[in-house]
Amino acid sequence: MIPATDTRSRIVTAAKTRFHSRSYANVGIQEICESAGVQKGSFYHFFASKRDLALAVIDEFADDWANGFVAEAFDPALPPLERIDYLIDAAYFWQKSIKEVHGRMLGCIFGNLTLEVSTQDDILRAKLLAIFSAAQSRFKDALDQAVADGTLAPLDTALTAEAMLAYLEGVILLAKSQNDPELLYRLGPAIKTLRIEQASA
Amino acid sequence: MIPATDTRSRIVTAAKTRFHSRSYANVGIQEICESAGVQKGSFYHFFASKRDLALAVIDEFADDWANGFVAEAFDPALPPLERIDYLIDAAYFWQKSIKEVHGRMLGCIFGNLTLEVSTQDDILRAKLLAIFSAAQSRFKDALDQAVADGTLAPLDTALTAEAMLAYLEGVILLAKSQNDPELLYRLGPAIKTLRIEQASA
DNA sequence: GATTTTCTTGACCGAACGGTCATCTACTCA
DNA sequence: TGAGTAGATGACCGTTCGGTCAAGAAAATC
């Protein structure tokens, strides 16, 4: 079921790079339309509002990740703790390649959008929260398997997974403040030192 | 040398709460002026641009922290590792009290602004970077003392300090996505599990 | 072939954006 | 008393903002 035109996807593609490299508020619909070669009326045929576009952009980025780096990193064939290393590596190389092309460290869209809009739009916030929850699950699965393996001493896998996700986002934030993806390389591996013990019964 | 009027500080105060609770781009100068009871012409008597206002806002927030929670947390009288606990506690209670008053977790302004503007404005980015560097130094001092104490096994204190700062920012980001400061309470203490070993010679 | 639905066009809306400016007031200092 | 300066006023600038709408073109459906 291929759509008759690719108008909608051209809009989303134009919006993705712009939201990622600047911010949600700083990119106007007019600019997106011009870049996609689309009239404004056409835009509002496909999207009810700017927020709706943002939701679509988030979905596409999530798909890119799930079908790209993340899928490779969380390959069940890999030893569970190596998957985490792999993910950090993937994030590092991705940010590095963006900087080489774009001249800037753009960071994580989900983090960027979260800090920008989550006090102003609960629908966007809920969407971003769902993305983070899914990411946390990936971490948790890896940790659970590592514990089952015996390669990792038992701990609170849910909380540790959340801590690891937080750490990754924080490292990307700091790297963006330095416009330098190398920080990911230096700080990233320490993610595996994070531990939250099980609450005693 | 007290200024004749408090116009400038009224502007900064009005801007602080708004930038913190929404975003840089989403708050207009007109709104700030109205809230401060100031005319636009007067605003531009004190600030050359909106960016200049942002710089002043960042400075005031940094002062608030340095003279408030941070000063207490990094009290040299406290055992060094307890200072880190104290800081996490302070961040937690601060975010919690903001949510009680405001209904929202607003997060860390420095983190918020970093992700929003650092690809678009190198002057603001440099300012925020300086704030983070200062924070990192506080962590590093505490770690250095703990190592000197013997309460902490030797490690790379500079990198570990940076990792801790990243973790703190990341936890605040995730908490904001959940609009729930309690995440800081659950994840915060794990900051002390972070370790980056010295590179071997 | 006729009708309905999908998509596109481009003008248009009021409001807000960051920023400028000439003018006026009030205070300082000589 | 007079000159200079710091501060305040409010109208004004061009531009962009997110969003609407009536009309037409194209495609799918019957």
Side-chain angles (χ1 to χ4, degrees), chain B residues 119-130:
Chain B
T119 55
Q120 304 175 57
D121 189 321
D122 274 326
I123 291 176
L124 284 176
R125 186 174 64 78
K127 182 87 184 178
L128 292 159
L129 184 50

Side-chain angles (χ1 to χ4, degrees), chain B residues 134-155:
Chain B
Q136 185 188 340
S137 296
R138 305 277 200 142
F139 277 108
K140 181 173 183 296
D141 289 346
L143 292 175
D144 280 334
Q145 286 180 38
V147 169
D149 269 356
T151 44
L152 184 66
L155 40 55

Side-chain angles (χ1 to χ4, degrees), chain A residues 5 7 39-42 45-46:
Chain A
T5 67
T7 306
Q39 294 298 114
K40 224 188 212 179
S42 229
H45 175 74
F46 291 101

Side-chain angles (χ1 to χ4, degrees), chain B residues 28-29 40-41 44 50:
Chain B
I29 287 165
K40 233 200 206 162
Y44 281 98
K50 190 183 186 184

Side-chain angles (χ1 to χ4, degrees), chain B residues 55-73:
Chain B
L55 290 170
V57 164
I58 293 168
D59 271 328
E60 275 218 6
F61 267 105
D63 284 352
D64 291 348
W65 267 90
N67 300 322
F69 292 132
V70 171
E72 287 175 40

Side-chain angles (χ1 to χ4, degrees), chain A residues 10 17 20 47 102 105 122-123 169 184:
Chain A
R10 284 209 319 277
T17 60
H20 195 196
F47 301 98
H102 193 282
M105 242 287 290
D122 274 327
I123 291 176
E169 286 293 329
L184 257 160

